[in-house]
Each structure stands twice: as structure tokens, then as C-alpha cells.
Amino acid sequence: MTELTNLTVAQIRDGHRAGDFSAVEVAEAFNANVAGAKALNAFIVETPEQALSAAEAADADRAAGTLKPLSGVPIGMKDLFCTNGVQTTAASHMLEGFVPRYESTVSQKLWDAGAGMLGKLNLDQFAMGSSNETSYFGNVISPWKRKDGGNAALAPGGSSGGSSSAIAARLCPAATGTDTGGSIRQPAAFTGISGIKPTYGRCSRWGIVAFASSLDQAGPMARDVRDCAIMLENMAGFDPKDATSLNLPVPDWEAALSSDLKGKRVGIPKEYRLEGIDPDIDAMWDAGIAMLKDAGAEVVDISLPHTKYALPTYYIIAPAEASSNLARYDGVRYGLRDLPQGAGLQDMYAATRADGFGPEVKRRIMIGTYVLSAGFYDAYYTQAQKVRTLISRDFTAAFETCDVILAPTAPSAAFGLGEKMADPLAMYLNDVFAVPASLAGLPAMSVPAALNREGLPLGLQIIGKAFDEQGVLNAGLAIEERAGFTARAEKWW
């Protein structure tokens, strides 16, 4: 049964259609892996019955000749997506015990496509973090270990660390993630899997617990590029319930996959060559450039001059939006309510928010409230929005001379749990390569490309023009085929 958990989404889908195995066998195999991996803490809620129910329906559909695109495929759902009748917490004490009576648009699309749910995946609290250490339900642990590095536990990346760890450990073949400033791409790079953040608006935000509304975007995480294409096809699409949803047809990204890049130009941004960066990162980047040349692409140098302002811009805009979005958690309508004896309304607000939010969430709310305050709005928030426009214009100018941009996903491999928690600025620097594409709303993907000297995965990032997920996926496929990344974490859990 464990062999089934080594299959990709495409292999499960095709094998089930061919009658090589039943969907119930697949669900049982993954349920067993989930149940046996408590040490990773990847799941907040396990839903083996839902996975089996969907599998039984998939087997019945096969018998009736009415198979759906994801029939027989069980997946993990990041616990930021509201799921009808299943606890949705955003990994916070504030929403502990909250059971929605409705389904997010993205998860509903996946269930309609025939997928089953193995459970709700752990994450950084309210998606705020880069290491999955801010979760109220405890940190997720990466299945990877440093070569000759003892048993030191490593971060799986964040905020979608439960998703990345679960896929890398073969607890699920694919999972949903969300990306505000790199939260799909960075954990994918840390754990040797693939993940794509589509163009802002491709996937509906309705029913996803909000962090920063102008940046949040759902996307898939999976073992390879093809699986990401399959998942994205079944997650994307116009949603009238989301005012920022793109009213565009969903392309058949899987059918159009091609690693032939003849006639394509790949931009290499000089500003991403950071002084003092890990030499393994630069070596991988140079190897990636050679891979894309081998695929037929022409490599050109480009400039993104406002890149150095991207991180401070992000850490003004995102906390500002978070402070507004998280104002709804006041103990009145739903979620946690702390009502000290004899307390008034203001006391209840204060007690509930003090108890319900973790330190990182409080930090970002405070920063956001400060930059939105009357005396500082123009000096910080308005200026940040202007710089965001300049960053977006940089990409527009660069794409006049290239089709996609190649860069590292993160400035390092996975770091140890606890190494950066005491230094928020060091933690925020993990997003230095990921944030610019988020601010510009562009599609971007991480693909595993190499192992570093310590035997840990490193990821390459492909950034594309708005709406050109196909170009991003194709460049990712070219790297995937040439990198030949087949390494996986040795089981210790």
C-alpha cells in the first residue's frame, strides 16, 4: 500500500481510470501515512472518513463511466480555507473550535472535481510567518534532515509549512496553499517540492481567512510541475463572490505543457545577486540558467531597480491590511470570547484579542495600525503604495525584453527551528526574492533544482507575465526535466 503514496496526482488519476487500483486503496494508504506521522505535526485536523467517502464515490463514478478530473485523488487542505462542517482555525487560538457552515470557493471546486480531503493542514498563525513556528497548534517539522547534522529539526517554510511537509513526507500527493509574500514558493523550496502562485485574481479568495487582501492568492503545491498544472486547473476560475476575481477562462495548462523553450527569452535580474549570499544558491542559479539555455531559451540580463525597496514596502502594506482584516475578531460574532467577570465591552475586546492572537500576529497588527494612523498614513502607507507601483512598472519594463524571469526562490536552504524566531527581521529576509512578484500580482513558481552541501533542497523561481501561468509552468518543466531532482527525505518520523 505504501507504493501508492509514492504516486503523483497524474499517476493516481490515470492509474485509477485504467483500473490499476481503486480509489479506496489510495485513500487508505494515505490515511495510514497521515496517522503514522504525528511527529511532523503537519495536520491540525485529520478527516480520514471524508477521504474514504470521496474515494468510494470515485470508484462508483468509474463503474458508471462518469469520472471527474480529480476522481480518486486525496489532497490536503491548508487550514486557511473554510470547510463546511470541519473546524477551520487559521492555526490560531482565536478561531479554535470555529466550524464554518459554508465552503470556500477553491475547496468547493476541488470537491466538485472529485478530490477527497485527508485533513486540514497546519500553517503559521493567520498565514503570518516563514517557518511555521507561529501556529497555536505547535510548529510543523520538515521531514528533511541535514546530512551529518544530527537530529536538529528543520523548518518546513511558511506559512504553508503543513502543506509542504505533508507532500514531501508522502502524507498527501498535493495540497492547497496560499501565497501573500512567498508562502507557497518558499516552503516548496525548503522541502523539495513544486508550488505555484498564480496571477492575483486567478483563484477566488472567497472563504479563505484574510491576511492582506491585495496580496493573498491561493495556489497548489505538489510533487511536480504537471501536478501543479492539474491542481491549478481545478482551483482557478471566476467567482462573482470575490470582487477581485478575474473573469477569464481557465486554460488547459496540463495539455499545453512543453519544455521546449525555443524562441523564449529568460531574464536574469542583476538586483537579485545579493552580496554575501550562500554560494550554493548562486551555483544553483547558474545551473538553472544553463538548463534553460539547453531547453532552447535565450538568456538576457535585466534590471528591476526598485527591488531593494520591495521588502520594506511589503512589510508596510501587508500589516496595514492585516490590521484592518483582523479587526473583526472581537469576541462578538464568532471565535474566541474572553469575558472577565464584571467586564464591559471594551474589556472583552481587549481580553479576547490579547488571548486569541499570538506574538507575531500582534506585532503585525501593531505595525499596521501605526502606519494607518492619522499622523503617519501619508508618510508610510501612501509612500509604500507608490513604491509598489514602481516595482510593478519595473516588471512591465523587464517583460518587454524577456518572457519569464529566473531567480532563486529563497536566500538559503531550510534553517533550524528556533534559529530565527528571536530576530523578526532575519525571518522577514526569507521573503526577499519572493515578495516582488507578490507586490506586482504576477504568477511565480518554485521548482526543486539541487541539494546544497548539507543535503537540503534548493528551489529555483520562475516569474511570468500577468496571466501567463503557461509560460511559468513550461519553464518550470524545463528545469524539472534537466535538474532530475529525485531526492526525498529519509523517513525518521
Side-chain angles (χ1 to χ4, degrees):
M1 294 288 271
T2 39
E3 291 179 6
L4 292 175
T5 60
N6 288 326
L7 300 179
T8 64
V9 169
Q11 290 168 337
I12 293 170
R13 176 196 65 186
D14 297 344
H16 177 251
R17 286 177 180 175
D20 296 340
F21 42 76
S22 70
V24 168
E25 288 176 305
V26 174
E28 287 175 341
F30 278 106
N31 279 340
N33 276 12
V34 171
K38 307 290 189 191
L40 298 178
N41 199 32
F43 285 84
I44 292 176
V45 176
E46 296 173 17
T47 57
E49 302 86 0
Q50 291 207 15
L52 282 172
S53 175
E56 290 165 358
D59 287 338
D61 286 345
R62 184 176 64 183
T66 56
L67 283 170
K68 298 168 184 170
L70 291 176
S71 287
V73 180
I75 63 170
M77 184 64 58
K78 184 177 181 178
D79 197 24
L80 207 63
F81 294 79
C82 287
T83 42
N84 191 358
V86 180
Q87 178 180 255
T88 300
T89 68
S92 70
H93 183 37
M94 185 66 79
L95 286 174
E96 185 179 15
F98 172 60
V99 179
R101 306 317 309 173
Y102 55 91
E103 193 78 33
S104 80
T105 297
V106 165
S107 55
Q108 188 62 59
K109 281 179 174 288
L110 289 165
W111 311 149
D112 291 346
M117 182 168 71
L118 291 159
K120 303 296 292 291
L121 290 157
N122 207 342
L123 63 145
D124 279 299
Q125 189 173 151
F126 284 102
M128 299 181 193
S130 300
S131 63
N132 222 133
E133 292 176 276
T134 70
S135 171
Y136 176 73
F137 299 95
N139 56 265
V140 177
I141 299 175
S142 171
W144 288 85
K145 296 283 190 183
R146 290 189 179 105
K147 184 173 61 178
D148 304 323
N151 289 318
L154 298 177
S159 64
S160 306
S163 301
S164 64
S165 182
I167 295 166
R170 306 302 193 261
L171 310 188
C172 57
T176 58
T178 59
D179 194 308
T180 307
S183 289
I184 287 174
R185 291 162 285 157
Q186 184 250 24
F190 274 20
T191 54
I193 66 169
S194 295
I196 183 169
K197 178 195 85 70
T199 305
Y200 180 77
R202 270 288 188 199
C203 296
S204 172
R205 292 185 297 109
W206 195 84
I208 300 174
V209 178
F211 166 13
S213 300
S214 75
L215 295 159
D216 296 345
Q217 185 56 209
M221 303 172 74
R223 297 252 302 282
D224 61 26
V225 172
R226 182 173 297 276
D227 283 4
C228 285
I230 294 168
M231 286 285 289
L232 187 56
E233 283 178 29
N234 291 287
M235 294 170 65
F238 176 64
D239 179 10
K241 296 194 292 291
D242 176 3
T244 60
S245 178
L246 292 169
N247 194 355
L248 295 172
V250 177
D252 191 342
W253 287 302
E254 183 192 9
L257 279 176
S258 171
S259 59
D260 183 358
L261 302 185
K262 290 184 179 68
K264 300 294 183 183
R265 289 174 296 181
V266 178
I268 308 300
K270 64 180 183 181
E271 290 80 8
Y272 284 45
R273 295 281 187 187
L274 300 182
E275 189 177 339
I277 198 169
D278 184 340
D280 286 343
I281 298 292
D282 271 341
M284 171 201 59
W285 193 5
D286 291 337
I289 292 169
M291 292 176 205
L292 294 184
K293 284 182 178 177
D294 183 67
E298 176 190 352
V299 173
V300 297
D301 291 327
I302 62 168
S303 178
L304 300 169
H306 294 93
T307 294
K308 63 183 177 182
Y309 304 116
L311 210 57
T313 297
Y314 174 84
Y315 278 103
I316 290 172
I317 293 173
E321 296 184 11
S323 104
S324 175
N325 278 323
L326 272 61
R328 71 192 70 180
Y329 302 110
D330 54 12
V332 175
R333 299 172 190 83
Y334 52 83
L336 180 70
R337 174 184 291 177
D338 275 5
L339 188 60
Q341 189 171 3
L345 188 62
Q346 293 295 330
D347 298 320
M348 183 191 75
Y349 289 163
T352 297
R353 291 170 69 81
D355 190 23
F357 293 136
E360 181 61 29
V361 176
K362 290 175 183 174
R363 180 183 293 117
R364 298 199 194 193
I365 289 173
M366 290 172 70
I367 292 170
T369 303
Y370 178 81
V371 302
L372 289 177
S373 60
F376 302 98
Y377 185 94
D378 287 336
Y380 290 99
Y381 186 71
T382 301
Q383 282 296 104
Q385 291 290 15
K386 289 177 180 177
V387 176
R388 182 180 189 175
T389 299
L390 294 175
I391 291 166
S392 185
R393 286 176 183 170
D394 284 350
F395 280 108
T396 301
F399 282 128
E400 290 178 4
T401 60
C402 67
D403 298 290
V404 295
I405 294 169
L406 181 70
T409 304
S412 71
F415 47 83
L417 290 172
E419 281 183 18
K420 298 182 187 292
M421 279 299 283
D423 186 352
L425 291 179
M427 186 72 81
Y428 296 167
L429 284 170
N430 269 284
D431 300 326
V432 65
F433 295 136
V435 157
S438 293
L439 288 169
L442 299 173
M445 180 174 205
S446 181
V447 178
L451 295 176
N452 73 355
R453 287 163 294 177
E454 295 179 305
L456 299 179
L458 301 174
L460 279 169
Q461 178 181 203
I462 305 104
I463 304 169
K465 301 173 184 177
F467 320 120
D468 187 25
E469 285 81 4
Q470 193 68 63
V472 171
L473 289 161
N474 287 353
L477 184 63
I479 291 170
E480 180 179 278
E481 290 180 355
R482 285 157 181 80
F485 188 93
T486 57
R488 58 177 293 186
E490 292 185 17
K491 185 171 181 181
W492 56 265
W493 56 93

